[in-house]
Amino acid sequence: MTSAPASAPSPSGRLSALLPDLTPLRSSADFRLLWIQGVVTYFGSFMALIALPLQIKELTGSPLAVGAMGAVELVPLVVFGLYGGALADAVDRRKVILGTEAGLGVLALVLLVNAVLPDPLLWPLYLVAGGVSALSGLQRPALDSLMARIVPHDQLTAAAALNSLRWQVGAISGPAVAGLVVAYAGHATAYSVTVVTFALSVLLCLRLAPAPPARENTKPSLRGIVEGARFAWSRPVLLGTYAVDVVAMFFAFPNTIFPFLADELDAEWSLGLMYASGSVGSLVLGLTSGWTSRVRRHGLFVVFGAAAWGLAIAAAGWFTSVWPVLVCLAIAGAGDMLSGLGRSTIWNQTIPEELRGRLAGIEVLSYSAGPQLGQVRAGAMAGWTGTRSAIWSGGVACVASVALLTAALPKLLTYDSATDEDAVRRRAQREEDAGTPGPASGTPEAQARPYEAETGASGAGRGRIEPESSPSGG
């Protein structure tokens, strides 16, 4: 007697398979805390992100003065991002996160005090912009490198999708509310909201479990940063994730010329929609990201996501009607998120715990330099060939560059979390730490083993000295 054929999935079952995978929120208390903290912080940060350039515009009336914020922010972000990566591998990451959140709250308070002065000053705005960039550079590696420690190995893609979804909600709601607050209640009110959100964020961070370094007696150093760079250079898959992101942003990040595109399309009213469209596309992908948790070939995410970004940007430069342009920008945002999910998962699945902070610092360099240089490229190209040609040619160059990098680094395309040596080693170590006696998971002894087994390094003879106190002063 033959068995009855399996019934087809119900519509509700298919829908639930598309919805975001919430497992990391249920399985990890620290991830829940950081996710809620991120929702609060992003909302307040975007309030200040909108209010600050608007205040500079009001004080100076100069587009150049507003644009100078990018120059003020870039160098601190790169320098402190690299140093923050080394710091995250040397001290308790919880203390780094807590200290930088408190510092960002103090800077928001500076903005508030300046805004309530009878005649607000200009120089504190640039000082705060540089300070925020520096503290963000210090914090980002500690936050990114903490994910692989607090989220189970098989839930890393779901965690990345939830984090991206959280960011997109802030990117859409924060600026929208900020514009209304600044218009009707003033800059001081917007900065007040930012101060309150950082105060709440610090309270949430206080509840995080300690996250000690994987190796004791280390100190942030140039030698340590070089060690992380050498590891990345020796891994074609990692190298490909960084390189694809840089070329995609360099060739196809035309945000700086959106005002000119809106003028050419005779749709000045659409400028805000152009800036928001990418976030909308990312949000849609995030809300239907449940399927990504069942994929093992995350290199395909990186490559196809970046290629989709480039193709969509190229199409946006070809269309002469604003609505197809907005649709293309939304598709580009979805492609960017897909590529980002792949990058984040590969990093968390393959990088040894004791190098994770330094590699996250290199990530800061890649994601900050690409868009900044891309805006310079787009502006210069638009002045030379015209706005729309600058956009579509950049998209085409993005696709061609991604194809060349894929050919040069084929292991990125064939990456499989079930067979990649680094991913298998990291997964086995996580399972061993969780299920066998010996050093407890999360201790320096337990976290240091994967890289030592691979390189033969035990830390002896490396000339290390006692660590300095953490930036939070704890």
Side-chain angles (χ1 to χ4, degrees), residues 102-399:
L104 289 167
V106 170
L107 292 177
L109 186 60
V110 171
L111 290 175
L112 173 58
V113 171
N114 185 61
V116 298
L117 292 176
D119 296 306
L121 303 172
L122 178 62
W123 64 265
L125 305 183
Y126 289 112
L127 180 66
V128 168
V132 167
S133 188
L135 289 174
S136 298
L138 284 175
Q139 184 188 83
R140 177 68 183 263
L143 270 174
D144 286 356
S145 60
L146 190 59
M147 286 299 117
R149 179 179 290 194
I150 64 177
V151 176
H153 191 87
D154 60 348
Q155 298 174 21
L156 290 171
T157 302
L162 289 171
N163 281 337
S164 182
L165 182 61
R166 173 193 63 182
W167 189 90
Q168 298 301 339
V169 170
I172 295 172
S173 63
V177 175
L180 295 174
V181 169
V182 172
Y184 293 102
H187 297 93
T189 302
Y191 296 143
S192 297
V193 173
T194 304
V195 171
V196 171
T197 59
F198 276 111
L200 293 174
S201 175
V202 168
L203 293 176
L204 289 169
C205 289
L206 285 170
R207 299 180 58 190
L208 292 171
R215 292 180 181 178
E216 293 181 338
N217 302 325
T218 58
K219 178 182 178 182
S221 65
L222 179 60
R223 180 179 180 180
I225 295 173
V226 171
E227 181 184 9
R230 285 175 176 169
F231 180 85
W233 187 260
S234 70
R235 298 304 195 271
V237 174
L238 287 179
L239 193 61
T241 63
Y242 296 128
V244 166
D245 187 37
V246 170
V247 299
M249 294 297 103
F250 175 75
F251 287 114
F253 193 79
N255 291 28
T256 193
I257 57 175
F258 279 169
F260 303 96
L261 178 62
D263 289 343
E264 286 197 14
L265 298 177
D266 195 24
E268 292 83 357
W269 53 268
S270 68
L271 180 58
L273 294 177
M274 288 183 182
Y275 284 115
S277 292
S279 294
V280 171
S282 296
L283 180 62
V284 170
L285 182 63
L287 291 172
T288 57
S289 62
W291 62 274
T292 62
S293 297
R294 298 183 291 276
V295 175
R296 301 186 325 215
R297 300 283 299 278
H298 302 103
L300 295 176
F301 282 7
V302 176
V303 172
F304 289 142
W309 162 271
L311 284 172
I313 293 297
W318 275 105
F319 282 114
T320 58
S321 175
V322 67
W323 291 110
V325 169
L326 294 176
V327 171
C328 289
L329 294 178
I331 295 173
D336 185 43
M337 180 177 172
L338 183 64
S339 184
L341 286 180
R343 293 194 305 270
S344 178
T345 303
I346 290 172
W347 295 334
N348 285 327
Q349 286 182 342
T350 62
I351 298 173
E353 177 64 28
E354 66 276 13
L355 289 177
R356 196 172 297 280
R358 279 165 282 179
L359 271 293
I362 295 174
E363 176 207 343
V364 171
L365 179 63
S366 71
Y367 86 75
S368 61
Q372 294 287 352
L373 294 174
Q375 294 192 79
V376 174
R377 184 214 67 86
M381 193 78 177
W384 180 33
T385 65
T387 301
R388 292 175 55 222
S389 61
I391 294 173
W392 71 256
S393 63
V396 171
C398 167
V399 176

